[in-house]
Amino acid sequence: MLKAIYPGTFDPVTMGHWDIIQRAEKLVDHLVVAVLHNPSKHPAFSVAERVDFLRELVSPYDNVEVTTFHGLLVDFARLQGTSSIIRGVRAFSDFEYEFQMAIMNRKLAPDLETIFLMPKEEYSVLSSKIVRDVGMMGGDITGFVPDVLKDRIARRLKNPESYA
Ligand code: PNS
């Protein structure tokens, strides 16, 4: 059985992330979407919110689970019993950062493989940061985040206290 981890900050999940999840889910038997729990990064959305959003999206898929991790990704991968990591690469500008991470992870755990997937071209300039910036200033985030989450994410970005 091929199990893979798709790790990230997902602050918040974007259409680009969702595109990668749907591609990865077809390639592996079991996909673990792993949200990094790192309070020192000062994310806009709590880890519970980020997990909730992702769980709502993946609920139709029996082979996708959402969880959190902290510490090193290689340790989490070992704990999960897999050596396959999925990462999305949007544009050439992502390459240096992704290359560094993949090589560092391989140094830490030589059996680890990073599998890079490309989202649709229309998401190549989309990022969580852009969603946060546009949303916080009251801009329309339609098409940037999955439709079913759009209102909640927009409301929450405009008013940081609004998440129930
Ligand atoms: O969505 P992001 O912020 O690009 O995801 C980055 C993430 C969470 C995959 C990366 O920061 C990570 O794996 N952090 C865990 C700490 C770690 O293992 N660091 C060593 C690899 S560089």
Side-chain angles (χ1 to χ4, degrees), residues 1-5 32 74-84 111:
M1 186 179 95
L2 180 57
K3 179 176 180 176
I5 298 171
V32 179
V74 293
D75 291 337
F76 178 68
R78 205 171 292 126
L79 219 71
Q80 287 283 325
T82 180
S83 52
S84 304
D111 62 327

Side-chain angles (χ1 to χ4, degrees), residues 7-10 36 41 69 71-74 87 97 101 104-105:
T9 307
F10 304 106
L36 177 67
K41 268 193 159 186
F69 78 106
L72 287 177
L73 179 59
V74 293
R87 289 289 290 171
Y97 169 61
M101 266 201 310
M104 183 50 67
N105 283 332

Side-chain angles (χ1 to χ4, degrees), residues 22-38:
Q22 291 170 96
R23 285 173 201 281
E25 168 279 322
K26 291 191 191 74
L27 296 175
V28 301
D29 300 301
H30 191 81
L31 182 68
V32 179
V33 180
V35 179
L36 177 67
H37 187 37
N38 181 2

Side-chain angles (χ1 to χ4, degrees), residues 112-128:
L112 207 87
E113 286 302 341
T114 305
I115 302 159
F116 293 109
L117 299 179
M118 287 187 304
K120 271 190 194 153
E121 315 77 76
E122 61 197 89
Y123 305 137
S124 60
V125 294
L126 182 58
S127 67
S128 294

